[in-house]
Structures are given as structure tokens and as C-alpha cells.
Amino acid sequence: MNEKKYKLSIDPRILELLGPNLYTNIYYVLAELIANAYDADAHNVYIISNPDNITVEDDGSGMSYEEGDVNKFLNVAGISRTGEEDSLSAGLKRKKMGRKGVGKLAALSVSEEVEVMTIKNGEKSGFVLSRHPQGDYLQSIPEDKVSLSKVDGNGTSIVMKRPQYRLNKTLSAVKRNLIKIFPLVNSDFIIHIIRDNHEEIIDAVDDTYASQLCALITLGTEFSTLAEKVPNAYPNIRDEVVLKWDAYSEPITMKNNFGAENEYSLQIEGWIGTYESTRGRKADILDFPDNFISLYANKKMGEFNILPRVGQNKLNVSYVVGQLYCDLFELSELPDMALSNRQGYKTDDPRYAAVEKYIRETLLAQILVMRTKFTDEKNKAK
């Protein structure tokens, strides 16, 4: 068999420019790599923190050099989906998260050299992504050196050598941060966090927020069970501080990728609530803060915190927390509104403007009234 050669479809020098600047937080990087595993129909993702590297390994479909999968992977910024016909994963028909094709460069924000090893139906391939590539072709990894540490059979391993960012010292902190940025976990898609002989598993949506709230609004049936987790401190006002609403929906007219103007239904699901107290919520410098309103599309976080935009610097928004889902943000036939670093959205997109307005004028205004109702009752009880 001829020697495998791995060529990027862009000038390799772009990696030197993009690598260290594309992402600003290691958890965004991990979210990109986890999303790639999800799109590859993985059931398990292993995040392994070693002394000299951070490895993300999955048991997805793997990539074949002979069948062109590797070449497609190396087509940096090649659009992965343009319409609904290519918006689902090959095997499990999951809604694909990847779109821009730059997520594969995410690991270069962490390391100057990244080893990619993959196995598909017994065929092994491996190469090294580098911020400083030599020549037109990437350094190949001999097939006898290609191996996966946690997976038997098909899968892919991304090894970030000598990482410039480190994970939190405790695995529980890593778990807490990851579940904020990537809540799509269940028995069919499990994240394993491993350091030495210790392991944390993320296999369920985090509902611990609700147990810390004094007021809550849920949107849609999927999130309505969170209401049962909110403490019932004052039963006489329970129906005023815990509300279950239907998913929000409004029509929006937009031009699709082909220039045709159509009407779409913008639907928002999720939840928003307020803490009773912010005492003891000072986060580690690497952590995400505990007061936020995150925006998700196809269950992947697109923007961690829209609260500064909608909160208008009001002091009482420091009690607010929420997670809202709007899949229209990622509808394949509409223009891509995500920023290139996947850490936010284009704020001039009409979808974003509509969501922002609804949060500011309806959700945020209502939840702050509800928290005032709770504190008034609390003071009365005193």
C-alpha cells in the first residue's frame, strides 16, 4: 500500500495565526472536540488529563484514509452542512453540531502540536497538526504507533501535547464546567473525565441548579420537571414563584442560503430562575460564573452569557441563571450566525435580536418580579 500523505487544504501557515487565538478557554476547546465526537455517532468520550498531554478520545465511527474521511477532516473551513439533507449524522441520525469546519483547529489553541489518531474498520491513520508545519504535508504517524487507550474498535484520539492550558485540579470542577458548556449528555452519550486512577462520569443533565433557586420559569415540557426540584419554602406563594410555561414561539421572516425569503418559527425552550442568595458563589478563576443566561442550539452552547446584554447593569441580575435553547440558530438552510470561535453569535442576526428582546422584556422582567415576591414573603415571615 502507498504511504499515506496528509495535506491541509489551506496554507499551513494559517495554523500559526489561528491556533493560539481561535479560542480563549480550554472548556470551549473541549466542547468543540466533544461535539465532533457526537457528530461521529460516539457513545462515549474520554477526556484524559495526563502530566504531559490532554487527550480527547471517542468511540465514534472513526475516519478512513482510503474512503476519504481523513481528507474531508483536513479540509479546514469546508462547510459541513448546507441543508437539511446533510444535517444529520450518518449512523444515529443526530442533529449535527459542526458546521464551520474549524473546530478541528480548536486543539491548537491549547498545544503547538496535536496528534490525531483514528481507526475505522481496522484501518489506522495518524498525523500531527502543528502551528509550525514544515512543507505542504503534515507529519504522519506510523500505523504501528496508532492506538486508542480507552476504545476497542473504531474511534478517534486527539492528543494535545504539552498543553498551555490546564484543567482544574479537581475532577468535580472539570465536570461542573463541562456540564455548563455541553449539557447534552444521557445514557447514549457519556463523557468520562479521567486523571490518574480517578474518574468522573457525566451521564445526565445537571438539575442541581433548580434545588438552589427561589423562583423559576420553565419553557416547554422537556424542562417542566425542574419545577419539582425548587424548594417549597412558602407554599402559599408557590404558584407565584414557580411557573411552567409553554415553549415560546414567534414567526420570523428570513432569507435562506439560496436567497429565497421564507417564514420560520422561532421557538425557545429551557428555563430561567433566580438564586435566593449569591453568598459563597465566588468562582475559581478558570470557572464560569454561576449567574448567567446561556444560549444553546442543537443542544450545544453557542453563547455562555447573554445576561450582560439584557441585564442593563441592574444589580439584581446577579441572582439570575438560565439555559435557553433555540434550534433555529443552527438550521442548516439559514445563514450561519455563530462567530468563528464558537463563543458567541452575530448580534445583528434577526434571530438573535428576537431572542434577546424576549429575554429582556418578558423572561428577565418576570423572573425579577417573582424574586421580589419571594423576598417580600421571606421578610414577612421574619
Side-chain angles (χ1 to χ4, degrees):
M1 187 174 69
N2 294 332
E3 180 186 356
K4 294 178 179 178
K5 294 184 178 181
Y6 305 94
K7 185 175 182 179
L8 281 174
S9 61
I10 60 170
D11 188 329
R13 289 173 295 180
I14 199 71
L15 301 182
E16 188 171 355
L17 300 172
L18 284 180
N21 302 312
L22 194 58
Y23 296 85
T24 59
N25 183 304
I26 191 169
Y27 291 99
Y28 287 109
V29 173
L30 292 177
E32 286 290 350
L33 299 179
I34 294 169
N36 287 348
Y38 183 84
D39 288 352
D41 289 327
H43 293 287
N44 294 275
V45 181
Y46 301 87
I47 298 170
I48 308 164
S49 178
N50 294 314
D52 62 346
N53 69 69
I54 298 173
T55 296
V56 178
E57 184 171 304
D58 69 71
D59 61 359
S61 58
M63 294 182 287
S64 166
Y65 183 94
E66 300 298 332
E67 296 175 11
D69 301 328
V70 171
N71 186 58
K72 186 177 180 181
F73 177 88
L74 292 172
N75 183 17
V76 176
I79 302 300
S80 62
R81 53 186 171 89
T82 56
E84 295 316 293
E85 67 281 354
D86 56 7
S87 65
L88 301 178
S89 65
L92 300 177
K93 303 303 178 185
R94 294 169 171 169
K95 284 187 178 180
K96 286 183 183 177
M97 296 183 177
R99 185 168 186 175
K100 289 182 180 294
V102 297
K104 64 204 69 173
L105 300 182
L108 287 173
S109 297
V110 178
S111 300
E112 293 196 2
E113 285 193 348
V114 177
E115 293 182 351
V116 179
M117 294 180 286
T118 185
I119 302 173
K120 183 174 182 180
N121 299 331
E123 181 195 348
K124 296 183 177 183
S125 304
F127 50 90
V128 179
L129 288 174
S130 172
R131 292 185 198 166
H132 314 287
Q134 304 297 317
D136 292 334
Y137 292 94
L138 303 179
Q139 176 188 342
S140 63
I141 299 174
E143 290 187 29
D144 61 351
K145 300 293 185 183
V146 173
S147 63
L148 306 179
S149 62
K150 297 293 180 182
V151 174
D152 294 323
N154 295 346
T156 299
S157 179
I158 310 291
V159 183
M160 294 169 276
K161 311 283 284 187
R162 298 176 294 282
Q164 294 173 258
Y165 302 111
R166 303 301 308 189
L167 297 174
N168 295 65
K169 292 180 179 179
T170 65
L171 295 188
S172 59
V174 178
K175 178 177 179 178
R176 183 176 65 243
N177 288 328
L178 272 179
I179 207 163
K180 284 181 182 177
I181 203 168
F182 200 96
L184 181 56
V185 285
N186 52 43
S187 59
D188 193 50
F189 188 73
I190 300 172
I191 300 173
H192 307 254
I193 310 164
I194 300 170
R195 178 184 284 135
D196 299 324
N197 295 321
H198 304 285
E199 180 175 1
E200 285 273 359
I201 294 176
I202 309 175
D203 60 358
V205 174
D206 185 13
D207 60 6
T208 56
Y209 287 114
S211 65
Q212 304 166 29
L213 303 179
C214 65
L216 174 72
I217 300 171
T218 64
L219 299 173
T221 56
E222 182 178 349
F223 300 92
S224 61
T225 56
L226 291 177
E228 319 310 323
K229 306 281 185 179
V230 178
N232 190 14
Y234 305 104
N236 59 309
I237 61 165
R238 179 74 175 184
D239 293 342
E240 299 175 68
V241 296
V242 177
L243 303 178
K244 298 179 183 180
W245 289 357
D246 293 334
Y248 174 75
S249 182
E250 73 169 78
I252 187 168
T253 301
M254 291 190 64
K255 285 186 178 180
N256 64 20
N257 293 325
F258 310 103
E261 193 168 81
N262 296 314
E263 184 177 280
Y264 299 89
S265 175
L266 183 143
Q267 185 163 302
I268 305 173
E269 298 182 74
W271 60 273
I272 185 172
T274 59
Y275 298 112
E276 180 177 354
S277 170
T278 58
R279 190 176 298 121
R281 297 194 176 277
K282 184 176 175 59
D284 183 281
I285 191 169
L286 295 177
D287 288 357
F288 297 98
D290 280 336
N291 64 308
F292 59 87
I293 300 177
S294 294
L295 300 180
Y296 299 82
N298 290 359
K299 301 292 187 180
K300 181 186 176 186
M301 191 176 75
E303 183 169 338
F304 175 66
N305 194 7
I306 193 177
L307 195 51
R309 289 185 59 85
V310 298
Q312 302 172 324
N313 297 318
K314 294 178 180 177
L315 182 61
N316 52 0
V317 301
S318 62
Y319 297 97
V320 174
V321 62
Q323 295 179 326
L324 301 174
Y325 299 77
C326 181
D327 287 353
L328 194 66
F329 282 10
E330 284 288 350
L331 189 67
S332 298
E333 68 180 68
L334 291 178
D336 188 358
M337 58 184 283
L339 300 180
S340 58
N341 63 4
R342 307 301 288 183
Q343 293 176 212
Y345 290 112
K346 298 171 184 175
T347 56
D348 60 349
D349 189 284
R351 290 166 288 179
Y352 188 93
V355 171
E356 182 182 4
K357 180 181 179 182
Y358 176 67
I359 295 172
R360 179 188 295 113
E361 296 182 1
T362 303
L363 283 182
L364 188 58
Q366 179 64 35
I367 201 67
L368 292 177
V369 168
M370 292 161 62
R371 186 179 188 279
T372 299
K373 180 71 177 178
F374 179 90
T375 54
D376 287 348
E377 190 67 22
K378 183 178 179 180
N379 291 333
K380 190 190 308 181
K382 286 182 180 179

